[in-house]
């Protein structure tokens, strides 16, 4: 199973970016999907999560500015980021709880490779 994230880049404060993360491989089911971020010198922190039923949860710092969504048919999670601030600068990682198929089913948490978001003031 692989998670491929894309959509990062350089944007001015107040601008917008949309991140995407697609899961591929021997997937039986994807439960919760989410985005985390890690700024330089800081620990990785939760940004937003979404269940397979569509229930969402956000970090206080992004509530009202970011929106997480998913397309279950495409095994893809999105993060729409509006009104970006310099404090949002970080490497953003997607993650997902995935049940994989084959002779034996297994459930695990998988991470994407990270995509850099830089917000200039």
């Amino acid at each position: 199973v692989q998670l491929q994230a894309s959509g990062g880049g350089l944007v001015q404060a107040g601008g917008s970016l949309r991140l995407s993360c697609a899961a591929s491989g021997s997937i039986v089911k994807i439960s919760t999907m989410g985005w985390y971020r890690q700024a330089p010198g800081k620990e990785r922190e939760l940004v937003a999560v979404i269940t397979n039923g569509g229930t969402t949860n956000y970090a206080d710092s992004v509530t009202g500015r970011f929106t997480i969504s998913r397309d279950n048919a495409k095994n893809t999670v999105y993060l729409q980021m509006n009104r970006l601030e310099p404090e949002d600068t970080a490497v953003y990682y997607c993650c997902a709880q995935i049940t994989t198929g084959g002779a034996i089913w297994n459930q695990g948490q998988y991470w994407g490779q990270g995509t850099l978001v830089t917000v200039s003031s």
Side-chain angles (χ1 to χ4, degrees), residues 78-99:
Y78 305 96
L79 186 68
Q80 177 66 43
M81 305 184 292
N82 298 328
R83 304 200 320 267
L84 282 159
E85 303 169 352
E87 292 74 21
D88 296 317
T89 295
V91 177
Y92 284 70
Y93 299 89
C94 59
C95 68
Q97 292 178 320
I98 299 176
T99 300

Side-chain angles (χ1 to χ4, degrees), residues 1 5 7 20 22 25 31 40 46 49 57 61 67 74 93 95 98 107-108 113-114 120:
V1 172
S20 300
S31 302
L46 172 70
V49 293
N57 191 31
S61 59
T67 302
K74 295 182 179 179
Y93 299 89
C95 68
I98 299 176
Q107 184 181 60
Q113 83 283 9
S120 63

Side-chain angles (χ1 to χ4, degrees), residues 25-79:
S26 183
I27 297 170
V28 174
K29 175 185 176 182
I30 301 179
S31 302
T32 301
M33 305 183 82
W35 291 93
Y36 286 72
R37 68 186 180 186
Q38 187 166 18
K42 295 187 177 181
E43 294 186 353
R44 191 173 298 189
E45 63 175 0
L46 172 70
V47 176
V49 293
I50 183 168
T51 67
N52 57 0
T55 300
T56 59
N57 191 31
Y58 297 91
D60 290 343
S61 59
V62 307
T63 298
R65 300 187 297 121
F66 292 10
T67 302
I68 189 170
S69 60
R70 62 191 285 173
D71 184 333
N72 291 330
K74 295 182 179 179
N75 291 335
T76 299
V77 63
Y78 305 96
L79 186 68

